[in-house]
Amino acid sequence: MVPALAADLHGIVTGDLREPEVADKAVTEGTDAVLHLAAATSVLRSVEDPDDVYRSNVAMTHHLLERCRLIGVPRLVLASTNAVVGTGAGGGVIDEWAPLVPLTPYGATKAAGEMLLSAYRNSYGMSTVALRLTNVYGPGVGVKDGLVARLFKAARAGHGIRINGDGLQVRDYVYLDDTIAAFATAMTAAPDSFPGTVVVGSGQSFNVLQLHELVCEVTGVAIPAEHVPAPPGEMRAVVVDRSLAAASGLADPVPLAEGLARTWRAWPAS
């Protein structure tokens, strides 16, 4: 199920956006813009059940775009991912012009969503933006199953974590407030003044072992770690260029150590 919490002119609509009647009720005439965050985001799940992830990430996005077109909603902003690139950057720095070579059905469905946005922008004049997010963390990250969440959960519960492979795979981590600011800018910028695709990240990457060490320092807990075989389809390195984000008015990102400290201070006591 892909839960949707959407504000319309009459209040709050809660439901599964894969159901057309839910999407139609959430997106009504007079809506200024749609911020599309709902998706199936598990890479492992996408490998195990690609059909379900297609319906959640591609068919649902298409229906929202078509709904916007039919009732005259002028703008849709999509939460995308740098997983659309996969090996397209050849192991180098990822920017908005890297070829799309996704490694998993998840990355492929997000790439398809971006292509749909491009089609509706060019065919119908709709203002569409895809924000390619790196690994988002911050207060509330405990609802996710990412590495930052697992580390903080382990620190609070007093147990260990599993690290895939050698732990030298590199990732970019972007703080929640920076992500919110990017969406707010994309939603409110003047038409045609904001790029159609923007990489949203910190521009500084850390490997898993470094992240583990930082969280141990922030929490004051020596979190045990067990190395396990890496799953298929895992990107070895995510290093992004945020030049376009900076040129588009997005502020300098929160440094990882500071963001982790903020996250830990907001973490539930139990």
Side-chain angles (χ1 to χ4, degrees):
M1 177 178 180
V2 179
L5 185 61
D8 68 4
L9 297 180
H10 308 289
I12 302 297
V13 176
T14 303
D16 187 339
L17 272 177
R18 293 176 300 183
E19 301 297 332
E21 61 271 18
V22 174
D24 291 351
K25 188 175 181 181
V27 183
T28 58
E29 292 186 12
T31 300
D32 293 322
V34 170
L35 175 54
H36 181 20
L37 302 175
T41 61
S42 170
V43 172
L44 178 60
R45 175 184 163 193
S46 80
V47 174
E48 296 174 344
D49 192 354
D51 181 67
D52 181 72
V53 173
Y54 168 85
R55 290 187 293 111
S56 298
N57 294 358
V58 183
M60 180 173 65
T61 298
H62 176 255
H63 181 81
L64 286 173
L65 283 165
E66 185 66 359
R67 176 68 175 167
C68 289
R69 181 182 75 85
L70 291 175
I71 65 173
V73 177
R75 179 171 302 188
L76 185 144
V77 179
L78 172 71
S80 189
T81 170
N82 289 288
V84 300
V85 174
T87 60
V93 177
I94 297 171
D95 61 20
E96 291 78 4
W97 297 273
L100 304 186
V101 190
L103 299 176
T104 63
Y106 167 66
T109 60
K110 282 298 190 177
E114 289 193 10
M115 294 300 98
L116 284 168
L117 262 66
S118 177
Y120 273 69
R121 180 170 60 252
N122 290 297
S123 294
Y124 308 114
M126 188 183 299
S127 175
T128 62
V129 178
L131 297 182
R132 291 182 184 168
L133 310 179
T134 60
N135 290 268
V136 180
Y137 73 99
V141 74
V143 300
K144 299 179 63 179
D145 188 37
L147 181 57
V148 173
R150 293 200 300 271
L151 283 164
F152 279 123
K153 289 175 183 177
R156 185 65 82 198
H159 58 70
I161 65 158
R162 292 181 174 181
I163 292 177
N164 293 335
D166 57 15
L168 297 179
Q169 56 270 45
V170 173
R171 296 290 182 269
D172 182 290
Y173 298 90
V174 60
Y175 189 61
L176 178 63
D177 288 3
D178 296 323
T179 307
I180 293 171
F183 280 112
T185 301
M187 290 283 282
T188 59
D192 300 324
S193 67
F194 197 81
T197 304
V198 179
V199 172
V200 178
S202 69
Q204 293 188 339
S205 295
F206 296 80
N207 66 42
V208 174
L209 301 183
Q210 291 171 320
L211 178 66
H212 177 225
E213 182 179 357
L214 279 172
V215 173
C216 289
E217 292 176 1
V218 164
T219 62
V221 178
I223 305 168
E226 173 193 3
H227 289 258
V228 298
E234 183 178 50
M235 293 176 69
R236 184 63 178 174
V238 176
V239 180
V240 303
D241 180 351
R242 67 176 306 276
S243 298
L244 184 59
S248 301
L250 301 188
D252 291 341
V254 174
L256 180 59
E258 180 182 340
L260 291 173
R262 293 185 193 179
T263 303
W264 182 241
R265 287 195 294 270
W267 201 264
S270 59

